[in-house]
Amino acid sequence: MSETVRYTYRLRPGRRAEAALLSEWGRCRWLWNEAVHQQKTGRKPTMCKLSKLLTEARGRNAWLRLGSQVAEQQTLRTYAAALDASFTVKGRGRPKAKKRKTSLPSLEYTTRGFRIKHGRLCLPGKVMVPVVWSRDLPSEPTSVRVYRDNLGHWYASFVVRRAAVAADEPAGAGIGVDWGVKTTAATTDPVFDLPHLGHRKRCAAERARAQRAMARRRRAKGLAPSKGYLDAKRRAARVEKRAARQNTHDARQWAKRVVDHHNLIAVEDFKPRFLAKTRMARKAADAAIGACKRELIYRGARAGRTVVLVPPAYTTMTCSQCGTRTKERLGLGLRVFECAECGYTADRDLNAARMILATAERGRASADDVRHTIASFRDGGWYAVRAGNPPDSSVGSR
Ligand SMILES: [Zn+2]
């Protein structure tokens, strides 16, 4: 069995290659916007209509014919997918026009459009881009996305098939994970707790300095931004990105450690958006709970562990020893849980983590409103499977 994954590498395009990539992006961006405008006039474009749009546009404009047809076609394909998602995915808006100044370049090539030769990525128009091969590709890539981030760095993200990691032999027992602000992930075993690291807070002063410089150097509307302003902007973005990368790194290391040592992983199905409206929003955003959760679920399922998503309802209010639910909600200031029924006391987060694990293990009778969902990773996608059914026999919704 194998899975489809993305392997991303840094690119080091020379001046000529970068200019070629940018003009390719200019053409693709024009096509995207053309498609957006057609949508506005009431016609709902299908892939067939979009292909016709491409043929017509290439027939009309000689400058469009200079570009790669593969990249242009893929742009429209991405547009069609975005439009489709806007109809089916809740909360997703219609694709918008891409502005020259604010949109970041992104080009997609299928096997027809790229080659890897002498360690370099060869794109249409004799564009050769050196790749930093930080690790080997597991297989021949089927497509590549070439993009630039807000710092001006170029990347190539290859789609490859990779042999699925064989499920290791059962390791250890179960673990319950409760997300929080004080401790990003409180678990039933304190050894595996993920403390709040506050990467963004640590460099907040540095970022604020850059942002003050931006404010000072900002020119009136309509004027081109000064070099100093752009420098400060880049500096602020760099600080932000560094913190984000530290968060990702820590989340991965932690998730790997948890997955390596546990067989059953009970995860609080926490919605990070919930905290975004509170006074802890900044601290919560810094902890990147959503990213941590995603990483843990992904790695757990990949290693063949049982990953159970437990809805967070009442987990902090229920005693993990006797299952009695307290009458009142436990205020966030209260750090210790005390059971009025059996006298059990524990750290609030530890009790919640134990409750989550207990719910996943036995399905406590008292927690009637707790629904189990087992997440399973198959064919490159996530499937939610109702508890009670073996993960492989039932078809869940994605
Ligand atoms: Zn109790």
Side-chain angles (χ1 to χ4, degrees), residues 1-3 162-168 298-299 301-304:
M1 215 180 97
S2 63
E3 52 179 352
R162 176 176 66 179
V165 182
D168 312 343
Y298 168 68
R299 281 178 182 266
R302 213 177 80 190

Side-chain angles (χ1 to χ4, degrees), residues 22 30 38 53 105 112-114 116 172 174 179 186-187 204 210 228-229 236 259 272 278 304 327 345 382 385-386:
L22 286 175
W30 183 86
Q38 286 214 355
L53 163 86
R112 226 149 42 83
F114 76 97
I116 294 164
W179 307 110
T187 63
Y229 171 82
V259 167
T278 64
K327 293 278 182 299
T345 49
W382 277 103
V385 180
R386 286 259 159 262

Side-chain angles (χ1 to χ4, degrees), residues 318-325 337-345 351 364:
T318 315
C319 172
S320 62
Q321 288 297 298
C322 66
T324 314
R325 193 183 296 167
F337 176 87
E338 263 188 74
C339 180
E341 199 67 28
C342 70
Y344 169 76
T345 49
N351 178 59
R364 281 272 167 122

